[in-house]
Amino acid sequence: MLVMTMTNDFWRGKRVLITGHTGFKGSWLALWLRQLGAEVSGLSLLPKSEPSLYNLLGGAAEGDDIVDIRDRAAVTHQVLRSKPQIVFHLAAQALVRASYRDPAETYDTNVSGTVNLLDALRVCEDVRSIVVVTTDKVYHNPETGLAFMETDPLGGQDPYSASKAAAEIVTASYRSSFFAARNIGIATARAGNVIGGGDWAEERLIPDAVRAWQAGQSLYVRRPRAVRPWQHVLEPLNGYMSLAEHLWYAPVGVESYNFGPNHAEAASVGTVLKMAERHFGGGLVRLGDGTEGPHEAGYLVLDSGRARADLGYVPRWRLNETVRRTMEWYRAEREGRPALELCLADIRDFTNEAAGAQPLKAAG
């Protein structure tokens, strides 16, 4: 039996490839894995935001490569060059509203990009564990008020959600057609809405709030009553890492996992903004009526029971703590504290709390 913890030496010396390593989640993941002793390489476009967490943490490291996931030849070259044992696929066009503006780019990046990566990995001799990150929005959502389980039907009304549901189907096809016969573990990870320090992307709640409030402006919110499964960025990353380790030892089994907060921690956009305003020290908000713009889900909550049972996945920080840490990160960074120092402090606190918990056992 394998006990999933964050205190073992599993990652030391492992060759890990992260696609999307220049993004918000990818930058946090690369930093954390390097702290654990992994040999991390990256495959991604340059950061789109300025500032960017990737650059604040030091930018390119040995093994990183600036590659468009849609460039099949370049993706194959980087995979064969880095010879990964474990892969985290995060590269994506990840914004719902952007997917309405350019659906073709969204499908090309999220579907064809996934095909390009998995096709390169099927001829990679060293790979043993692959985690394909999709989204909580892959489910067909009739907004019944129930939390989604991994067995619920996939769907997706907007191009982003549909593209990620398609990536789930692509992953399942490569699993059954190629990876299962080689005893390579591959699973998809569906995470809730992440927040945390270092995200400066456009059209995301906390970055938009920070930009507006630092400039002394009010933040306009289109759908203040929309409910989402908010969580600190370290929560799903902990889940992805536990899943990758699980697949290393038990490659055959469950094929998808939800990673989200406890149901009671799901909250509306308006509730999260009230917390953010309080911890930031003030900020103006203008609330819309929920009808502006293209369709977006009004209620979305995940059931993470499968991850809890198989991986020992236990959310560490409640919503108020998550928002507090996030807003204090931005305040401290603006006051001159290095982003690296702030990220390492959050990782240290999270890891200490994870080490103190009693994880469940997973077959291995």
Side-chain angles (χ1 to χ4, degrees):
M1 303 293 286
L2 172 69
V3 178
M4 300 295 176
T5 74
M6 297 309 297
T7 59
N8 58 42
D9 291 327
F10 171 80
W11 293 99
R12 191 171 304 281
K14 293 290 193 303
R15 296 191 304 278
V16 180
L17 173 65
I18 302 173
T19 75
H21 70 289
T22 64
F24 170 51
K25 290 168 72 175
S27 295
W28 274 96
L29 180 59
L31 175 64
W32 196 352
L33 287 170
R34 286 175 174 136
Q35 291 298 306
L36 292 172
E39 299 175 8
V40 179
S41 57
L43 185 164
S44 182
L45 295 172
L46 288 170
K48 292 186 177 180
S49 68
E50 181 56 45
S52 74
L53 184 60
Y54 173 73
N55 288 329
L56 290 176
L57 294 179
E62 184 177 356
D64 288 353
D65 201 0
I66 301 304
V67 170
D68 191 328
I69 195 71
R70 297 173 294 177
D71 186 335
R72 182 179 178 185
V75 169
T76 300
H77 174 78
Q78 174 64 346
V79 166
L80 296 179
R81 181 171 74 92
S82 59
K83 299 179 180 179
Q85 298 167 295
I86 299 172
V87 178
F88 295 97
H89 178 37
L90 281 72
Q93 192 301 98
L95 300 176
V96 172
R97 286 171 66 85
S99 77
Y100 279 109
R101 291 192 294 270
D102 195 341
E105 180 187 17
T106 299
Y107 285 112
D108 199 14
T109 301
N110 296 351
V111 184
S112 297
T114 301
V115 171
N116 291 340
L117 175 67
L118 296 184
D119 210 52
L121 290 173
R122 73 183 177 92
V123 297
C124 179
E125 296 180 354
D126 300 301
V127 68
R128 286 185 55 176
S129 177
I130 306 168
V131 176
V132 176
V133 176
T134 59
T135 177
D136 55 355
K137 298 174 181 63
V138 296
Y139 296 105
H140 171 65
N141 188 358
E143 303 203 28
T144 62
L146 300 176
F148 287 106
M149 302 177 67
E150 292 87 348
T151 53
D152 287 329
L154 300 181
Q157 179 170 330
D158 60 87
Y160 167 70
S161 301
S163 72
K164 284 297 194 173
E168 293 267 353
I169 296 172
V170 166
T171 302
S173 173
Y174 269 83
R175 178 190 300 109
S176 59
S177 298
F178 306 108
F179 295 125
R182 294 176 53 196
N183 215 32
I184 296 170
I186 180 170
T188 58
R190 306 162 181 174
N193 289 49
V194 296
I195 58 177
D199 186 4
W200 280 281
E202 299 287 342
E203 299 180 343
R204 286 185 181 152
L205 182 65
I206 296 300
D208 285 349
V210 170
R211 276 187 289 268
W213 296 344
Q214 285 181 343
Q217 300 172 352
S218 62
L219 173 69
Y220 178 69
V221 181
R222 299 182 309 276
R223 290 179 168 82
R225 292 182 293 278
V227 173
R228 296 289 186 270
W230 309 95
Q231 58 190 330
H232 193 276
V233 62
L234 293 178
E235 302 279 12
L237 297 185
N238 174 36
Y240 304 164
M241 292 160 67
S242 296
L243 175 54
E245 184 177 351
H246 179 73
L247 292 169
W248 181 278
Y249 293 109
V252 178
V254 179
E255 301 169 352
S256 60
Y257 286 90
N258 289 336
F259 296 104
N262 296 325
H263 295 180
E265 294 296 292
S268 70
V269 170
T271 297
V272 171
L273 277 177
K274 288 180 181 178
M275 293 180 179
E277 179 186 353
R278 182 171 69 252
H279 293 303
F280 194 71
L284 299 176
V285 177
R286 294 185 298 117
L287 303 180
D289 62 6
T291 62
E292 181 182 341
H295 173 270
E296 294 183 60
Y299 186 90
L300 181 54
V301 178
L302 296 178
D303 186 314
S304 302
R306 175 182 285 178
R308 182 171 59 251
D310 289 359
L311 310 176
Y313 178 74
V314 179
R316 307 297 172 191
W317 291 335
R318 301 191 66 175
L319 180 59
N320 188 63
E321 174 70 1
T322 291
V323 177
R324 180 188 70 79
R325 284 180 173 272
T326 298
M327 304 314 291
E328 289 182 356
W329 194 104
Y330 284 106
R331 289 174 57 191
E333 192 275 333
R334 190 181 189 192
E335 291 167 1
R337 286 188 61 186
L340 178 60
E341 175 186 318
L342 295 169
C343 289
L344 289 177
D346 277 347
I347 290 172
R348 182 186 62 246
D349 291 349
F350 187 92
T351 302
N352 288 341
E353 292 189 31
Q358 295 298 317
L360 300 178
K361 293 183 178 181

